[in-house]
Amino acid sequence: MTGQIAIIGTGPSGCYLAQALLKAQPELQVDLIDQLPVPYGLVRYGVAPDHQGSKGVIRQFARLFERQGARFFGNLTVNDQLSLDDLRAAYDVVVLAAGLSGDRRLGVPGEGLSGVFGAGRLVWAINDHPDAMALPDLGAHPVIMGNGNVAIDLLRLLAKTPSELDGSDVGASVGDWLANSGIESLEIIGRSSAEQAKFDPVMVKELAKLTGVSIEVIGAAATSDDPAAARKLAALAEINGHGSGPRRITFRFGLTPVAIKGDDRANAVHFRTETGDDQIIPCSAFVTAIGFQDQGRLDRETLLAQAEDIQVGKLAAGLYATGWFRRGPQGTIPENRGDAQALAKRILADLAPMSDKQGAALFASHPDLVTYADWQIMDAHEISAPPAGRCRHKIKTRAEMLALGKASKELL
Amino acid sequence: MKITLLYGTETGNAEMLADDIQAELEEAHEVACENLEDFAPTDFEPGCFYLLVCSTYGDGDLPASAQPFAAAMAAETPDLNGIHFAIFGLGDREYETFAQGSEKLAALLASHGATQLGDRVVHDASGDDLAEDLAFPWAQAMVELAEEKLSQAA
């Protein structure tokens, strides 16, 4: 079967969708579009730099472009350089797999103070995302709000000693920033009780490998009748009391933030306990890791509200959504694979290709479009001579990315 | 020789590796490749050699696509005497539960009477090797071993 399909977003959801479509129908033309000049979304900029094993799925995704005929069009922003409507007119099918890149807000007074950071923005900075803010000063006593895997990732990275980053792709400036952070204590706070925490137990157990910390878990129940909750509690019990290093890590639960205090910079957070008491926790910075939300460019809210079948991800004729963009910011890489596989079946069942669709000709003349061949030049550059103890040296800016792609064309 | 590759996967890495092993062995052998979630315990045949590729997920658990198979094994308690298999694991040494998925799957087959050939070989996702660089020589060696064993049995 022929047919032209455009997928917006080249993170796990978009790539798994392309994979499922091409496995079932190798003749399809599948084009993956990303607003960044580089592919793979959160695998590159969200999966922690010291979790290289989890980034191994990139080998599957590379095969899409190297063997299966999918095409990459990077540095192209839909609803900026071209409209979603124009894209829909040019393709038989358009799929929104753009994820959710904005930080969900806590909604308490003081959130606008300096020293308050969304976890997503901090994760970008730590991963050398080209649109990241400068690495902030977190002071000696950062407090992290949230009990998901993102919160644990940040906790672990901020707690690591320099040698514990060996084998990662942490950049030079990030490595210096971590090494000189001056962090003495890290608190991680959950609104709900420990058994309802969202993190995976294996992520908590991993903290027992940290060499420079001492860990205390406060207010977690001993056990639970629910097996999933019991595993979380067991993981917390396992790390409680771990280590005698200088950096103190404290887990606290059941604390609802009421307000962030400070004159010009956050210096304490006012919480309410489960019994209704007040608790003030001093901080030198407050990081909120409480989920992600849409940044608005694709008008997600309206599209989802009008969706024909939101369960599978059909928004309208020829328009679909998958992954976090469809479901919201829950679930890890495997869940997005399952989501994409289910959607691929639906798309193929619906597909009625038209011969007059112009496809990628719509945007092919865009001057700074990045192709997969350009990315291969960047990728080779990044892994060719990494610094000692690193597996990759990430290119940090859009300008450098585009320059490398261009240089490769001039050589031809 | 008749060979069936069975994979248990969560992110698709084990599936890709099984596909690649199939392509590698196909020239000399009759090779099928199936997802464990589509394979029933009653599908095992004594004349066939089984190569298993299995990842690990969560807290040292079987990957999602191996879980329905494990449940069916528990429910149906098949007798796998005379069935020969070898197993390749995928794991990540960053975690203490490194490659426990393949360990559990091997134990599950053995507990029903199946015979494991060779040692379980494991790829570390956080290491420097590519999975296929370990898995291709492993598959060739296991097939040679099976050719000996299965002809003795017949």
Side-chain angles (χ1 to χ4, degrees):
Chain A
M1 185 191 284
T2 57
Q4 299 186 86
I5 298 181
I7 300 173
I8 301 173
T10 62
S13 292
C15 287
Y16 277 129
L17 179 68
Q19 183 184 61
L21 289 167
L22 288 167
K23 187 157 190 172
Q25 297 290 349
E27 302 305 312
L28 290 172
Q29 179 60 56
V30 178
D31 292 341
L32 291 108
I33 296 170
D34 207 293
Q35 60 178 330
L36 287 176
V38 292
Y40 308 137
L42 281 184
V43 186
R44 181 173 162 97
Y45 291 119
V47 171
D50 60 340
H51 278 175
Q52 289 296 316
S54 302
K55 296 183 193 257
V57 291
I58 282 178
R59 296 198 64 220
Q60 292 181 55
F61 303 158
R63 204 167 271 200
L64 293 167
F65 305 108
E66 292 172 12
R67 298 194 197 170
Q68 293 171 281
R71 296 186 294 190
F72 173 65
F73 295 100
N75 200 33
L76 185 65
T77 305
V78 175
N79 280 353
D80 180 14
Q81 285 140 318
L82 76 171
S83 73
L84 179 58
D85 288 342
D86 287 348
L87 196 64
R88 290 181 69 189
Y91 281 85
D92 295 301
V93 169
V94 172
V95 185
L96 308 175
L100 295 172
S101 56
D103 281 296
R104 193 161 80 79
R105 299 192 41 96
L106 205 51
V108 301
E111 207 167 1
L113 287 170
S114 75
V116 180
F117 305 100
R121 303 289 74 74
L122 195 52
V123 165
W124 275 11
I126 288 175
N127 281 290
D128 284 328
H129 188 292
D131 301 337
M133 64 179 179
L135 289 159
D137 178 8
L138 298 178
H141 305 286
V143 171
I144 300 169
M145 181 79 221
N147 266 178
N149 289 338
V150 174
I152 303 281
D153 271 340
L154 281 173
L155 178 76
R156 185 188 66 256
L157 285 164
L158 293 174
K160 278 197 162 180
T161 61
S163 67
E164 288 173 328
L165 294 167
D166 277 0
S168 73
D169 62 5
V170 164
S173 54
V174 178
D176 289 345
W177 176 76
L178 288 170
N180 301 311
S181 71
I183 291 174
E184 294 167 18
S185 74
L186 284 157
E187 303 233 3
I188 176 163
I189 295 174
R191 182 189 292 264
S192 57
S193 61
E195 52 265 50
Q196 291 170 300
K198 291 198 167 64
F199 53 66
D200 288 318
V202 68
M203 295 276 292
V204 169
K205 288 187 189 174
E206 189 186 354
L207 301 176
K209 288 166 67 179
L210 296 173
T211 58
V213 302
S214 46
I215 302 179
E216 184 181 12
V217 178
I218 296 173
T223 189
S224 164
D225 292 338
D226 172 43
R231 286 171 86 160
K232 281 175 204 163
L233 295 174
L236 288 166
E238 206 175 303
I239 61 160
N240 187 19
H242 163 78
S244 53
R247 210 164 250 172
R248 299 185 312 279
I249 294 178
T250 309
F251 279 78
R252 297 181 196 273
F253 301 95
L255 293 174
T256 302
V258 178
I260 303 166
K261 305 285 189 189
D263 294 328
D264 51 350
R265 187 180 164 100
N267 59 28
V269 184
H270 175 190
F271 292 95
R272 187 141 298 142
T273 68
E274 282 173 327
T275 52
D277 295 326
D278 294 314
Q279 185 167 348
I280 306 290
I281 296 180
C283 66
S284 59
F286 190 57
V287 180
T288 59
I290 55 162
F292 298 95
Q293 62 185 18
D294 182 39
Q295 286 192 312
R297 196 187 291 281
L298 292 166
D299 201 9
R300 174 174 182 260
E301 216 165 291
T302 310
L303 289 170
L304 260 52
Q306 298 168 352
E308 194 176 316
D309 180 357
I310 192 62
Q311 281 312 312
V312 71
K314 182 167 189 182
L315 302 179
L319 185 67
Y320 302 82
T322 191
W324 277 13
F325 192 90
R326 179 184 77 79
R327 292 198 317 276
Q330 284 93 36
T332 54
I333 287 175
E335 283 162 273
N336 289 316
R337 177 170 177 261
D339 214 6
Q341 289 177 339
L343 180 62
K345 281 188 189 144
R346 177 61 182 267
I347 290 173
L348 293 170
D350 289 349
L351 184 63
M354 310 274 278
S355 57
D356 61 343
K357 297 281 184 178
Q358 62 170 324
L362 173 69
F363 47 78
S365 60
H366 182 271
D368 285 322
L369 213 53
V370 174
T371 66
Y372 188 76
D374 299 334
W375 158 245
Q376 286 179 301
I377 304 284
M378 298 181 218
D379 188 37
H381 178 82
E382 288 189 342
I383 59 177
S384 64
R390 297 290 181 268
C391 62
R392 175 181 291 271
H393 167 70
K394 273 187 185 172
I395 306 165
K396 280 168 69 170
T397 67
R398 285 173 188 263
E400 288 171 277
M401 290 170 179
L402 296 178
L404 265 174
K406 275 209 178 98
S408 71
K409 284 183 194 114
E410 281 156 14
L411 287 174
L412 293 175
Chain B
M1 190 173 57
K2 197 176 165 192
I3 299 166
T4 296
L5 276 150
L6 297 174
Y7 60 85
T9 196
E10 180 97 19
T11 66
N13 290 340
E15 178 176 359
M16 182 169 82
L17 182 61
D19 284 345
D20 289 352
I21 296 171
Q22 180 185 26
E24 189 74 6
L25 296 177
E26 232 161 20
E27 222 166 278
H29 304 278
E30 183 190 341
V31 190
C33 184
E34 285 196 68
N35 191 337
L36 272 172
E37 72 185 3
D38 303 322
F39 190 85
T42 49
D43 293 342
F44 282 109
E45 296 169 37
C48 183
F49 177 49
Y50 294 89
L51 284 173
L52 279 75
V53 179
C54 186
S55 65
T56 302
Y57 217 74
D59 200 7
D61 303 321
L62 287 175
S65 95
Q67 289 189 8
F69 172 79
M73 289 281 281
E76 296 167 26
T77 61
D79 177 7
L80 300 184
N81 273 294
I83 302 298
H84 292 79
F85 74 97
I87 185 161
F88 188 92
L90 297 173
D92 189 339
R93 258 186 223 285
E94 286 288 327
Y95 301 104
E96 60 168 31
T97 52
F98 176 61
Q100 285 181 3
S102 54
E103 189 181 337
K104 285 179 181 169
L105 185 61
L108 181 67
L109 292 182
S111 72
H112 288 84
T115 305
Q116 181 177 341
L117 302 186
D119 291 328
R120 185 170 56 102
V121 172
V122 178
H123 174 254
D124 172 19
S126 290
D128 295 329
D129 306 313
L130 295 178
E132 56 268 34
D133 291 346
L134 289 178
F136 290 174
W138 164 82
Q140 296 290 2
M142 290 304 111
V143 168
E144 280 169 32
L145 200 55
E147 279 172 331
E148 273 173 46
K149 294 276 177 182
L150 270 68
S151 63
Q152 283 168 13

